[in-house]
Amino acid sequence: MPICLIVGGGVIGLSIAYELGRRNWSVTVLERGEPGREASWAGAGILPPANAATARHPLDQLRALSYETHRQWADRLYRETGIDTGYRQCGALYVARTAGEAAALAGFAEQLRGEEIPVERVPLGDLAEFEPALADSAARFRAALWLPTECQLRNPRHLRALTVACRHLGVVIESNTAVLGARCGSERLECLETTGGDRFADHYCFAAGAWTAGLLERFGVSLGILPIRGQMLLFHAAPETLRRILNDGPRYVVPREDGRVLVGSTEEEAGFDKRTTESGIADLMAFAHDMVPALQAATLENAWAGLRPGVYDGMPYVGRLAGLANAYVAAGHFRSGIYLSPGTALVLADVMAGNSPPFSLDAFRLSRG
């Protein structure tokens, strides 16, 4: 039975552990804090549509594999744990406020049609009827698209289900265990030195999100992963205040079935400071009230921030560490950690097992420049 040690207990690390556990590997996950409490927990769980039949670029292929696998995993995780992850196909509206944004949205629509992903233009005169929450704000928009196959899940529930399912498979998950150093032999990683003692395995995987770059500096590897702070708001509104996900450029409003509404997100270079700020909260409040005026009567239940692992070219790092035959990396997914987690787990598990993944991972290699 192969033994794997995974550094990082966020959604990427837990997904890899889950997939390897299903393949009868012995797996231990080391998390410097509490599993699933960093960027994975902080996001909104938006799952944009993708189509494996038409995907050509490796990132699109990873998106398509992940999109389809989310549906399968949601069903399986419910059977295995009894936890409803909140996976739903709810559809989403994409809106534009300026002529330039409207032109970009038209180009986005043509791209989706080329990929054979369902998309519809919503006439502005019909927007308020289509989504009643926009009745008082529809006049602010220049264009709108409807993507009926966009999905969502609830991050905390998904992470809880993954954790329980991993433990059912025999995966060991250790909290408050930090990596202090490493010992390497001839082209192999021999041992990780941790606050819990030396740890030995056949395979090692680094999936620590924004902290991965710091870990890999010990091996002389520079990934240039930058922590990007994203602040979020959670409103408690009446159920059906909003029916569909709303996307306005990089910002969004996501309704849950129980009346809670997520609003996000900022993108800030603030180092490893994940505190919320008065200005960030104020900006998101203004956006929420402008987008969905009914939220002015809703209760602001919570606000938080997460540190997303940003990469200069928008592509995650997925693959083997150069010079070490038994060490791997899965990090740098930026705003798409939840979204890309199952596909990342599947392809990296194939690589670790010595099998060919369903598509080339060259675009995700660590040495791409």
Side-chain angles (χ1 to χ4, degrees), residues 48-49 90-94 108 112 117-120 145-150:
C90 57
L93 278 167
Y94 286 69
F108 179 51
L112 293 173
I117 294 171
V119 57
E120 303 170 20
L145 294 179
W146 166 238
L147 277 64
T149 55
E150 189 151 308

Side-chain angles (χ1 to χ4, degrees), residues 59 97 118 122 187 214 216 273 309 329 332 349 364:
L59 184 57
R97 295 174 182 265
V122 181
E187 298 184 349
L216 295 185
D273 181 357
V329 177
F364 309 121

Side-chain angles (χ1 to χ4, degrees), residues 17 62 73 120 138 151-152 186 189 206 223 271 309 327 360:
L62 182 60
W73 278 25
E120 303 170 20
C151 302
Q152 64 163 285
S186 177
L189 179 55
F206 296 90
L223 291 188
S360 172

Side-chain angles (χ1 to χ4, degrees), residues 296-310:
Q296 296 177 33
T299 301
L300 179 62
E301 190 170 287
N302 202 357
W304 62 84
L307 300 177
R308 302 184 180 100

Side-chain angles (χ1 to χ4, degrees), residues 11 43 61 139 160 169 175 200 213 222 231 243 269 288 312 347:
V11 72
Q61 291 171 316
R160 188 163 65 250
L169 291 168
S175 304
F200 300 86
S222 177
Q231 299 186 52
R243 300 175 184 174
E269 292 187 24
Y312 72 98
V347 299

Side-chain angles (χ1 to χ4, degrees), residues 3 29 47 56 89 111 156 305 316 352-353 361:
I3 301 171
V29 177
L47 309 175
R56 296 293 178 265
Q89 180 176 311
Q111 176 188 332
M352 294 170 74
L361 302 185

Side-chain angles (χ1 to χ4, degrees), residues 166-186:
C166 280
R167 287 181 168 138
H168 285 174
L169 291 168
V171 173
V172 176
I173 302 173
E174 297 186 21
S175 304
N176 303 310
T177 304
V179 173
L180 303 175
R183 295 200 297 271
C184 297
S186 177

